[in-house]
Amino acid sequence: MGIMLVGATLYAFEIPNYFAWIEKRTLSLSGIKKTLAKTGLAIAYFNPIWIFRHLAFIKLFSGNYAQINGNLLRIAFWSFLLNIPISFLANYLIQNKVKLDWRFIASAIFSAIMAVYYALSETIFQ
């Protein structure tokens, strides 16, 4: 329930605004430069600190406050690093093939899948 609340408030505000910022930031670019810039900026948003924050929310809402520590940041780093190929492909498609009005929905679907991966990454990268 807690993650749903975060998704419906913080993420629902943050992500569409960031995607709109990406669109404005890359207006002057074209071709492969624009494609790579939009994809790269999207990947940069979902960085290890973002993953750490997401994992910390999971710990917070499950009452495991003591587990919010540096180890969680290490897990977030490895989780980010190993998902770059998948994230690159998904963010390329979201940023370059999906219209701006639908990007939040597309990103939410991808994020829901990745949220499972992030939760599992604590077990994978222990």
Side-chain angles (χ1 to χ4, degrees), residues 19-30:
F19 288 168
W21 178 83
I22 288 173
E23 199 64 30
K24 290 177 194 165
R25 177 77 172 90
T26 59
L27 276 176
S28 64
L29 302 175
S30 63

Side-chain angles (χ1 to χ4, degrees), residues 7-95:
T9 56
L10 180 64
Y11 294 167
F13 172 76
E14 239 177 39
I15 295 170
N17 285 319
Y18 187 74
F19 288 168
W21 178 83
I22 288 173
E23 199 64 30
K24 290 177 194 165
R25 177 77 172 90
T26 59
L27 276 176
S28 64
L29 302 175
S30 63
I32 191 75
K33 284 184 181 181
K34 184 172 191 159
T35 299
L36 291 176
K38 289 172 75 173
T39 304
L41 288 168
I43 290 172
Y45 176 78
F46 297 102
N47 62 57
I49 300 298
W50 190 93
I51 297 169
F52 170 82
R53 182 179 73 170
H54 187 76
L55 293 172
F57 281 138
I58 292 170
K59 297 296 181 191
L60 180 71
F61 295 128
S62 63
N64 296 313
Y65 315 110
Q67 294 177 4
I68 301 172
N69 56 40
N71 189 46
L72 212 56
L73 185 58
R74 183 186 61 77
I75 291 166
F77 171 78
W78 285 109
S79 177
F80 174 78
L81 194 64
L82 290 174
N83 91 48
I84 286 176
I86 294 165
S87 187
F88 184 88
L89 177 61
N91 283 297
Y92 163 78
L93 294 171
I94 291 167
Q95 293 300 318

